[in-house]
Amino acid sequence: MNVVTALDSRTARPPEGAGTQARHDRQVTAEEANRLAEMFRLLGDPTRAQLLYALLAAGELCVCDLTEAVQVTDTAVSHALRLLRTAGVVASRREGRTIYYRLSDAHVRMLLDLSREHLREAR
Amino acid sequence: MNVVTALDSRTARPPEGAGTQARHDRQVTAEEANRLAEMFRLLGDPTRAQLLYALLAAGELCVCDLTEAVQVTDTAVSHALRLLRTAGVVASRREGRTIYYRLSDAHVRMLLDLSREHLREAR
DNA sequence: TTGATCTCTGAATCCTGGTTCAGATGTTAG
DNA sequence: CTAACATCTGAACCAGGATTCAGAGATCAA
């Protein structure tokens, strides 16, 4: 209701229309925000984060290596990897009885890389 | 950007010895990964994500505006904002009886901006 | 074949944390 | 002062999801 002091002007509220298509605007629809939240949630678990950063550093690792890197059960690792796999974040490759995992999403890889970088600079 | 992190690396297994240096390297300690996970977790909730993206777009909004933007109770918004506030992600400013919130962490702002961008390009 | 290794799966448990509820705090108007 | 408004707080409730448990595929060696 109140007029807001926007940093960037153009805060005009479009009339909630359903016929809105993909905007290149700053505006983010609830749908988009939910998709983004879903992705962030995937990274927001200590086990999964450690797995992903281990893969980011090593490039490719088998489950046994990952189990050793992160201090949890191999079962927990397997469950975590399944989530990441079905989400398309990691990909797997079988070689004999061992299965190697790697990051498959360049987008996520950049997020991980960038976040690590900035965690170290700032604070 | 140079997001490429050599995928090949025939899994040259470093012998996992005692010498755990690698502080500025690609290596990420469990401690760092947990900190990063904690930050991602903060963004990994639909309500909080919508709040943050609303703030990213508008620059500054009061609780009543945020309550309207996100479709939840004002109480839920308040709880969500408290989490973000204590984490240093948002800052508040009082003007009369209304309180205005804004993003206070440049790091998070970039993450939000970048993620939105890439969600739209890719896929 | 048997046994050992590596990984995955579904069910059950358990716990974190998001929402709701009822009320408190602070602020402005009358 | 009281009343209305804007927001916050703590406790309780409850669901989603991470871990554990027990066992199943899959693959290789002997």
Side-chain angles (χ1 to χ4, degrees):
Chain A
M1 297 238 278
N2 300 336
V3 176
V4 176
T5 65
L7 294 181
D8 206 48
S9 70
R10 207 183 314 118
T11 317
R13 226 162 259 205
E16 285 299 323
T20 58
Q21 36 190 347
R23 311 192 174 103
H24 296 285
D25 229 315
R26 295 258 161 76
Q27 305 289 357
V28 170
T29 69
E31 171 65 18
E32 282 176 314
N34 288 339
R35 295 261 295 276
L36 287 161
E38 195 177 348
M39 139 157 303
F40 283 130
R41 195 184 61 75
L42 226 57
L43 312 181
D45 173 71
T47 297
R48 290 195 294 269
Q50 286 186 55
L51 291 176
L52 292 175
Y53 276 104
L55 290 177
L56 180 68
E60 201 176 43
L61 290 172
C62 65
V63 178
C64 58
D65 285 338
L66 289 169
T67 301
E68 193 177 352
V70 184
Q71 280 302 41
V72 293
T73 320
D74 61 339
T75 308
V77 171
S78 205
H79 280 301
L81 286 174
R82 173 162 56 172
L83 275 183
L84 297 171
R85 199 188 331 131
T86 56
V89 175
V90 301
S92 60
R93 170 180 71 87
R94 165 160 247 146
E95 186 172 313
R97 32 188 159 174
T98 80
I99 300 182
Y100 292 97
Y101 280 85
R102 63 183 182 279
L103 298 179
S104 67
D105 189 331
H107 174 200
V108 170
R109 191 178 306 147
M110 186 181 56
L111 272 186
L112 294 173
D113 200 15
L114 228 127
S115 302
R116 181 204 54 184
E117 217 50 50
H118 279 265
L119 175 68
R120 290 179 177 172
E121 305 178 352
R123 187 156 64 152
Chain B
M1 312 326 202
N2 51 353
V3 187
V4 195
T5 54
L7 240 310
D8 56 298
S9 82
R10 208 38 103 168
T11 319
R13 220 161 291 185
E16 208 65 42
T20 15
Q21 35 96 327
R23 186 56 65 101
H24 300 158
D25 240 302
R26 296 248 168 80
Q27 305 289 356
V28 170
T29 69
E31 172 65 18
E32 283 176 314
N34 288 339
R35 294 261 295 276
L36 287 162
E38 196 177 347
M39 140 157 302
F40 284 130
R41 195 183 60 76
L42 227 57
L43 311 181
D45 172 72
T47 297
R48 291 194 293 269
Q50 286 185 58
L51 290 175
L52 292 174
Y53 276 104
L55 290 176
L56 180 68
E60 201 176 44
L61 290 171
C62 66
V63 179
C64 58
D65 284 339
L66 288 169
T67 300
E68 193 179 351
V70 184
Q71 280 301 44
V72 292
T73 320
D74 60 340
T75 308
V77 170
S78 205
H79 280 300
L81 286 174
R82 174 162 56 171
L83 275 185
L84 297 171
R85 198 187 333 128
T86 56
V89 175
V90 301
S92 61
R93 170 180 72 87
R94 165 162 246 146
E95 185 173 314
R97 34 188 159 176
T98 81
I99 300 181
Y100 291 97
Y101 281 84
R102 64 183 181 281
L103 297 179
S104 67
D105 189 330
H107 176 197
V108 171
R109 191 179 302 146
M110 185 181 56
L111 271 187
L112 294 172
D113 200 15
L114 229 128
S115 302
R116 181 204 55 186
E117 217 49 51
H118 278 265
L119 176 68
R120 289 178 178 172
E121 305 179 351
R123 186 169 129 169

